[in-house]
Amino acid sequence: MTSEPIPDDSGAEIIELRPSAPAPQPDRPAARLAERRPVIPAPLRRGNLPGTVAYAGGLASHHARYHGLRLPAYLVLYVWHALRGVFILTGRLITWWHVPELHVLASLAVAAGRSGHHDALNAHREGKKTRAARGRIIAVVAVLTVAVVAAGLIWLPWWAWALAGLVLVLVLARHGRPEGKPVIRSAVVAPQYQVPTPEIITRALGALGIAGINDALRTGAGIGYVTDVHRDHEGWGTELDLPHGVTAQMILQRRSQLSAGLRRPLSATWPEPVPAEHEGRLRLWIGFHDISKLKPATWPLAKAGTVDVFAGFPYGTDPRQRAVTAPLFEHNWLIGAQPGQGKTSAVRVVASAVALDPLAELWVHELAGKGDLEPYGRVAHRYVSGLDDESIGYAAESLHMLRRELDTRSRKLKALPKEQRPDGKVTRDMARNRGQHLYPLVAIYDEVQNLFMDDRHGEQAKDDAGYVIRLGRAYGIVLVLATQRPDANSLPTAVTGNISVRYCLKVPGQPEVDMVLGTSSYRNGFNSAAFRSGTDAGLGWLKAEADPLIVRTYYIDLPAAEKIAERARVARGQAGTLTGYALGDDDQAEVRSFAVDVLSVFGEAARLHTATIADRLAAHLPSVYADITPAAVGSQLRGLGVTVKNVREPGKAPAPGCDRAAVEAVTS
C-alpha cells in the first residue's frame, strides 16, 4: 500500500491508502474483452479536473493566508530563538573547551585514596593540555571567522549578506527552539473521519446481504475496482464492477445500509449506476460532510444574467456541488414535497428563470394565499394568490385559456410555411416575432391540489390540464405544477402521466414517491421518504431526461426574488414584453398592440427615427415603455414586418427609423 496526504476543506491532511498494484484475483469468466487502464488518472480527467484544481488552489490559498497573517509572529519567534541559540551554543562551546569529564575522573581518583593520587594528577595534567589545545582551536576558528567577515565586507554583495544572515538565524533558531515547540504549526486540523479505502468499501458492500456479493467475497473473486479511490470535489469517488448478477440498482436500494457500513452519514453516501457501461458498473461518491450541513448555494443568476428557456437553466447542485441544469421548454414539471421541505424555493428558481427570459410569458397561480410568489407578479401576464373561490376560479379560467391558446397556436403553426417551422414546433426565432404570438408561455400552479380537488372547478381543471400537458409541448406552452399533497386525488394520472420533469423532495412514503417520480421509483432506490424532515430541506430527486439524480435546489428567499423580479421587469420593459397583470390589467395584453402604440405617437409625421419613437412611447405610455430603447423599438418593428431603414426627420440627419405607412400596413 502507498499513502498520500489529502487535506480536507479546512486544510486537514488525510492519509489516503491506495493499493500499489491490483490485488491478484482468481480466474473468473470474462464479461467483456480486457480493457486498458486509463492513461490519465481519475482526478485529472476532464470531469474531475476542475474540482481537483479548485481544491489544490483553495488549499494553497488557505496556507498562504494562514501563514501570511502569522508571518510577523514567526519572525519575532525566530529572532528570539536565534538569540537563545547564541547562549546555548556558547555554553556548549565553553563546556567543550573546559573538558568537564576530566574533572569527574580526577574527583573519582581522589576519592579512591592514596592509590588514586597519581591518577588524579595525570587527569589534571591531561585536562590542562586538552583545554590548551581546544583553546587554540577556538582562537584559530575565531581568527578565520573575522578574516572571512572582513573579506565579505569588501567583496560580497548585500544579498549574499542577507542570505548568510538568514541561514545563520535559522541555524541558531534551530538550536535555540525548545524541544517539541515548532515555530510554524500546521494550518490544518486532523479530520474525524476515515478515508474509504477499497477494503472499507468492500467490507461495507459485503454487509448488505446481497447473495452475489457474499459469494464473490467467499470464493475470493472480490470486487473489481475500475478506478482508485480518488479525491472528487468535496469527497471521494470510485467506480467498480460488481460481481456477476449484482446490479447497481440493488446497491442504490440499500443506500442506508451502505452508509452504515461505511460509517458515513446517509446524505454523504451516494451510489449511482453507470448505464453507459453495463448494469453492474457502480459509481460511488462519499462526501467529506453531510451535505445538509453545507450552506445552500446562491442561484448563479441572482444578481446578473439572463435565461434562454429554450436551452435550460441552472436549477441546483448535486452532492459534489456541481451545477445541475434543468430543461424547461417542451417539458412540463411536477414538484412534490411535504410542507417546509423546500418546495417554495424550488418553484421560485423556475419562476425566476422564466422571468429572466424577456421572450417568455409567465402566468403565476399561488393557491395558498401566503404570497410566496408575489414578486413575480411584477412581470407576470396573469397572477393570483389566494385560496378563496375567486382565486380558484381565476386559476381554473387560466387553464381553460391555455387550452384555447393551444388550439389557436396549432392553427397558426400549421399556417406557417414549412421552411419557417422546420421541426414542426415553436422556435426562438418565432418567439422573437411577437406578432405571431408563438412565444414560450409558462404557467405555474403552486399548491395545485387546491384547484384539482375543488368541487366546482376541479374536474374541468383536470381535463384542461391533461389536454395542455399532452399537446402543449410543441406549441411552447409549459405547465409547472407544485403540491404538498401528492396523491391520486390531487394528482390524477391523466395529469401526471405525460409530465417529463419531476422533482421530489421529502415526502411521507412509497405512494407519494411513486406519484411524483413515477411508478417503481421507490423500489428502484430513488427514495425521497428517506430524507430527514427539515434537516434535508431543499434536497430531492430530480428526474428529467435520464435516471433520477440527487439535487439540492439553489436557495432564493423572498428578498432575493424581489430583486430578480425587478431586474426582469426592467429587461422586459426595454424589450416591450410587459403585459397583463404586470401592467395593472390582465386583459390589457389581449388588446394592446405595439404597432398601434407606435402609430399613436407618430402624430402627423410621415417618418420617425426609432430613437424618437422610443422617447415618445416612454413619455406617453410610461407604465408600459418607461425603459424601452431604440434598439428594442427596431427589433419589435422588424418582428411585426415593418421595414426599419435610415430615414430623415425634419432638421435631423438620417438615422434608423420607419415610415408611417409601413406601420399602418401592419395595423390594418
Side-chain angles (χ1 to χ4, degrees):
M1 303 290 288
T2 60
S3 63
E4 180 180 346
I6 300 183
D8 68 1
D9 290 341
S10 63
E13 290 191 357
I14 309 162
I15 302 301
E16 178 179 3
L17 300 178
R18 299 183 178 179
S20 55
Q25 297 184 359
D27 293 336
R28 49 193 298 192
R32 61 184 183 280
L33 295 176
E35 60 180 89
R36 299 179 180 181
R37 293 187 177 275
V39 175
I40 302 176
L44 300 181
R45 293 178 193 168
R46 179 178 298 178
N48 294 328
L49 185 59
T52 302
V53 172
Y55 161 73
L59 181 62
S61 173
H62 172 75
H63 277 282
R65 288 182 286 114
Y66 180 90
H67 294 302
L69 180 65
R70 292 160 177 78
L71 184 59
Y74 293 161
L75 294 176
V76 171
L77 280 175
Y78 268 108
V79 171
W80 165 245
H81 289 164
L83 293 174
R84 192 169 180 267
V86 170
F87 288 101
I88 290 174
L89 290 177
T90 301
R92 291 176 183 175
L93 182 63
I94 292 174
T95 301
W96 175 77
W97 167 72
H98 199 256
V99 200
E101 60 270 19
L102 293 180
H103 283 285
V104 175
L105 293 176
S107 299
L108 291 175
V110 171
R114 178 179 294 272
S115 61
H117 182 70
H118 180 70
D119 293 336
L121 289 175
N122 287 338
H124 181 70
R125 284 194 295 270
E126 188 64 27
K128 291 180 64 176
K129 291 179 181 179
T130 302
R131 283 192 289 275
R134 292 184 177 182
R136 288 191 292 273
I137 292 173
I138 293 173
V140 170
V141 170
V143 171
L144 289 176
T145 301
V146 171
V148 169
V149 171
L153 290 174
I154 298 173
W155 290 301
L156 289 181
W158 68 268
W159 57 264
W161 280 103
L163 181 61
L166 177 63
V167 172
L168 180 62
V169 168
L170 291 176
V171 171
L172 292 175
R174 175 64 185 85
H175 290 279
R177 176 175 60 83
E179 195 66 31
K181 293 184 178 181
V183 175
I184 301 177
R185 297 181 180 273
S186 174
V188 299
V189 179
Q192 297 181 353
Y193 45 78
Q194 188 176 23
V195 179
T197 62
E199 292 79 9
I200 292 174
I201 295 173
T202 300
R203 182 184 65 194
L205 292 171
L208 299 182
I210 299 175
I213 294 179
N214 294 340
D215 291 343
L217 296 181
R218 184 176 62 254
T219 60
I223 306 293
Y225 284 83
V226 180
T227 66
D228 291 335
V229 178
H230 57 274
R231 170 65 188 254
D232 189 350
H233 292 78
E234 302 301 315
W236 298 277
T238 185
E239 284 190 17
L240 48 94
D241 280 337
L242 298 167
H244 297 292
V246 181
T247 66
Q249 210 69 50
M250 297 166 69
I251 307 300
L252 189 59
Q253 293 169 4
R254 296 166 173 81
R255 189 168 66 91
S256 59
Q257 294 97 314
L258 179 62
S259 71
L262 293 170
R263 292 296 187 263
R264 300 296 301 134
L266 182 61
S267 290
T269 306
W270 299 104
E272 59 181 283
V274 189
E277 293 294 335
H278 54 79
E279 295 302 317
R281 176 68 59 86
L282 179 74
R283 180 181 293 117
L284 178 62
W285 186 82
I286 304 168
F288 288 149
H289 314 286
D290 182 340
I291 62 175
S292 66
K293 297 180 180 179
L294 300 177
K295 183 180 179 181
T298 302
W299 196 44
L301 303 176
K303 295 183 178 179
T306 59
V307 171
D308 178 358
V309 298
F310 289 84
F313 64 99
Y315 190 63
T317 57
D318 69 3
R320 309 180 207 189
Q321 300 303 297
R322 299 178 302 182
V324 174
T325 299
L328 187 61
F329 187 72
E330 292 192 292
H331 293 275
N332 296 288
W333 277 61
L334 174 61
I335 300 173
Q338 289 181 195
Q341 302 307 310
K343 175 176 64 64
T344 297
S345 188
V347 175
R348 282 178 182 156
V349 177
V350 180
S352 296
V354 180
L356 288 178
D357 187 341
L359 296 185
E361 189 167 280
L362 177 63
W363 295 14
V364 178
H365 311 84
E366 190 266 297
L367 302 179
K370 297 185 295 183
D372 291 333
L373 304 178
E374 184 177 357
Y376 303 102
R378 298 178 59 79
V379 294
H381 175 70
R382 288 178 65 82
Y383 173 81
V384 69
S385 175
L387 189 54
D388 55 276
D389 291 340
E390 183 179 356
S391 299
I392 297 297
Y394 182 96
E397 180 187 10
S398 290
L399 276 176
H400 202 60
M401 292 171 62
L402 289 174
R403 185 169 188 160
R404 295 199 306 269
E405 176 70 13
L406 191 159
D407 294 337
T408 301
R409 290 187 176 207
S410 175
R411 293 191 297 270
K412 287 183 177 181
L413 195 61
K414 290 178 181 178
L416 290 176
K418 288 186 177 181
E419 60 272 14
Q420 294 185 21
R421 49 180 178 91
D423 298 324
K425 59 185 179 182
V426 171
T427 65
R428 193 161 187 87
D429 287 337
M430 295 180 189
R432 291 191 180 96
N433 188 343
R434 302 298 287 184
Q436 290 182 339
H437 292 279
L438 290 176
Y439 39 78
L441 195 165
V442 182
I444 295 175
Y445 283 82
D446 192 17
E447 307 297 355
V448 70
Q449 75 277 359
N450 294 330
L451 171 59
F452 289 156
M453 297 180 67
D454 184 76
D455 294 336
R456 182 178 176 185
H457 302 284
E459 292 304 317
Q460 183 62 50
K462 292 176 186 177
D463 186 63
D464 289 338
Y467 184 84
V468 172
I469 288 172
R470 285 195 308 273
L471 304 175
R473 308 172 51 246
Y475 303 107
I477 299 176
V478 175
L479 283 186
V480 179
L481 309 179
T483 180
Q484 63 180 2
R485 187 178 173 179
D487 56 37
N489 293 326
S490 60
L491 293 175
T493 305
V495 172
T496 62
N498 292 302
I499 288 180
S500 54
V501 178
R502 301 160 180 266
Y503 184 58
C504 189
L505 300 106
K506 166 69 177 176
V507 291
Q510 176 266 326
E512 292 79 11
V513 172
D514 288 346
M515 179 60 65
V516 177
L517 293 179
T519 305
S520 300
S521 294
Y522 183 92
R523 184 182 63 193
N524 291 332
F526 308 117
N527 182 11
S528 295
F531 296 136
R532 297 160 294 180
S533 183
T535 302
D536 291 329
L539 194 65
W541 286 101
L542 176 67
K543 184 177 182 180
E545 298 169 318
D547 287 332
L549 67 155
I550 201 71
V551 172
R552 193 179 192 188
T553 56
Y554 291 115
Y555 181 65
I556 299 179
D557 58 15
L558 198 59
E562 290 173 348
K563 293 178 181 178
I564 292 169
E566 180 59 33
R567 184 157 53 87
R569 183 178 176 86
V570 171
R572 287 170 177 265
Q574 292 174 344
T577 56
L578 283 174
T579 60
Y581 184 89
L583 298 177
D585 183 359
D586 282 14
D587 299 324
Q588 189 169 351
E590 303 293 335
V591 298
R592 178 166 297 284
S593 164
F594 184 70
V596 171
D597 290 342
V598 170
L599 196 59
S600 70
V601 301
F602 253 85
E604 299 299 325
R607 57 192 59 86
L608 287 178
H609 296 160
T610 54
T612 304
I613 295 173
D615 291 340
R616 292 185 180 183
L617 285 174
H620 292 284
L621 296 168
S623 62
V624 185
Y625 303 111
D627 300 307
I628 196 166
T629 63
V633 170
S635 176
Q636 292 196 64
L637 287 173
R638 291 187 188 95
L640 294 172
V642 176
T643 300
V644 177
K645 58 184 179 180
N646 280 345
V647 299
R648 184 186 296 274
E649 289 184 14
K652 296 183 180 179
C658 65
D659 295 327
R660 177 191 181 92
V663 180
E664 289 176 339
V666 300
T667 59
S668 57

